[in-house]
């Protein structure tokens, strides 16, 4: 498994702290040389690689380089843990049904990069977290897990995002476990999770 | 308060069964002469009126007639309880901030008349119920209450709709109470519910 992350890497940390998922993770890759996620990887003896967009002429070239990084290490599964780039069609096709993303809203509500702010601006009383398989449309693939998070009357962006993160840190490792153990059964847009020995 | 309903009227029944809301309801209006909602009204000594679209040349004329029916009875608040017509701009403007609708999904996900089927087709793991103030855009106005409903692996349309209805029958009367008691404070898209003596 490779984990792709651009920032602080709290979702990566939750994956590294999961005893079932941890042994699967052999690579952490970031587009940001300063991403704290890279240090989290090194601290757990996981290879940390920077793939900087500046060294690639366009998205297609970046996507091809990303695919090479993954394939030359025999990566089977890809986990997007706050990777702030759109993974291109070359990688999505090569890893169809094997890329997970975590999104801070109940998709199809609030796709895109400002999901928490958008939910607050809309005035919803319930938002949440979605873990989904990645397809070629943004924040669109078959849903593996969702969990609701209530918006409180006094919530601001910080307080709401913090409660959403807590749920992400539980849901994403659970979905990664199911993916690694071959327990995801996808039929069209329906994802069934077969029960695992540790559930 | 007037309750507008087109069908069986289970949401109307939940409103009639609420001791705080019941005394407010002075009219049940349907576009369908055969709507069971009309009988539910008569059984509780509430005036039941049919406003059949066939007797009006177009939507504008229907909307005007609807507004007349409401205004000649001094109706202050309108509750859409499964009314399968779009309430036109004439009524929406006259009753701005005073019309509630109940929708069987967590808006902005799955607007429209097939919300439960759409949620199943998308493969979401969480859907729910929204009670919102009505504005001139379909299923769009400020949200008063929302509650999540988990989709189960073996759910079909009947089983999921049945659990959604249970939540509607709790949420819609609660929102109607707050509306009638002047406890809804709307700021842009944010709706705050002030605490009531019975809550």
């Amino acid at each position: 498994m490779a984990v792709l992350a651009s920032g602080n890497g709290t979702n990566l940390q939750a994956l590294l702290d999961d005893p079932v998922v941890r042994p699967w993770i052999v690579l952490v890759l970031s587009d940001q040389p300063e991403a704290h996620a890279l240090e989290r990887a090194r601290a757990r003896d996981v290879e940390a690689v920077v793939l900087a967009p500046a060294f690639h002429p366009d998205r297609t070239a970046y996507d091809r380089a990303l695919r090479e990084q993954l394939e030359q290490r025999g990566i089977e599964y890809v986990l997007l843990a706050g990777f702030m780039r759109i993974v291109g069609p070359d990688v999505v096709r090569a890893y169809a049904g094997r890329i997970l993303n975590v999104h801070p809203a109940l998709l199809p509500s609030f796709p895109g990069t400002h999901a928490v702010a958008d939910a607050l601006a809309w005035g919803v009383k319930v938002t949440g977290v979605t873990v989904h398989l990645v397809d070629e449309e943004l924040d669109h693939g078959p849903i593996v897990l969702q969990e609701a998070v209530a918006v409180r009357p006094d919530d601001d962006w910080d307080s709401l995002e913090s409660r959403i993160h807590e749920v992400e840190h539980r849901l994403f490792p659970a979905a990664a476990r199911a993916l690694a153990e071959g327990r995801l059964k996808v039929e069209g847009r329906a994802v069934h999770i077969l029960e695992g020995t540790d559930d």
Side-chain angles (χ1 to χ4, degrees), chain A:
Chain A
M1 278 185 164
V3 181
L4 277 51
S6 299
N8 187 13
T10 60
N11 272 312
L12 166 64
Q13 192 63 52
L15 294 165
L16 290 171
D17 290 344
D18 185 290
V20 176
V21 177
R22 166 65 193 89
W24 282 85
I25 302 174
V26 295
L27 174 67
V28 169
L29 183 146
S30 181
D31 57 331
Q32 301 292 332
E34 305 297 321
H36 186 55
L38 296 164
E39 284 173 50
R40 293 182 192 268
R42 289 184 203 110
R44 299 295 283 269
D45 294 317
V46 173
E47 185 185 11
V49 165
V50 175
L51 194 65
F55 295 109
H56 299 86
D58 56 24
R59 279 167 185 273
T60 309
Y62 187 87
D63 199 30
R64 200 182 312 121
L66 175 55
R67 184 175 163 182
E68 276 169 21
Q69 292 288 329
L70 300 173
E71 291 188 341
Q72 74 193 14
R73 287 172 181 84
I75 298 293
E76 287 179 68
Y77 302 106
V78 178
L79 309 179
L80 305 181
F83 190 59
M84 298 307 281
R85 289 178 63 85
I86 292 172
V87 174
D90 198 36
V91 173
V92 171
R93 280 176 212 148
Y95 284 89
R98 296 186 290 148
I99 311 181
L100 282 184
N101 184 43
V102 59
H103 184 81
L106 291 175
L107 292 172
S109 281
F110 312 120
T113 52
H114 308 288
V116 177
D118 290 348
L120 282 171
W122 187 282
V124 293
K125 305 294 188 183
V126 175
T127 182
V129 171
T130 302
V131 181
H132 65 95
L133 292 163
V134 172
D135 65 11
E136 293 185 41
E137 238 175 286
L138 181 67
D139 297 331
H140 173 268
I143 291 171
V144 176
L145 288 172
Q146 283 184 312
E147 191 172 309
V149 173
V151 180
R152 296 175 186 160
D154 57 349
D155 260 332
D156 57 16
W157 187 87
D158 281 327
S159 61
L160 180 57
E161 208 211 19
S162 150
R163 292 206 311 289
I164 285 175
H165 273 173
E166 282 174 33
V167 174
E168 288 183 352
H169 298 164
R170 194 156 31 77
L171 243 54
F172 203 26
R177 276 201 298 271
L179 182 68
E181 296 176 348
R183 293 188 283 110
L184 295 188
K185 200 176 144 207
V186 184
E187 295 174 317
R189 291 198 56 86
V191 182
H192 301 281
I193 305 182
L194 308 178
E195 269 181 51
T197 47
D198 59 320
D199 289 343

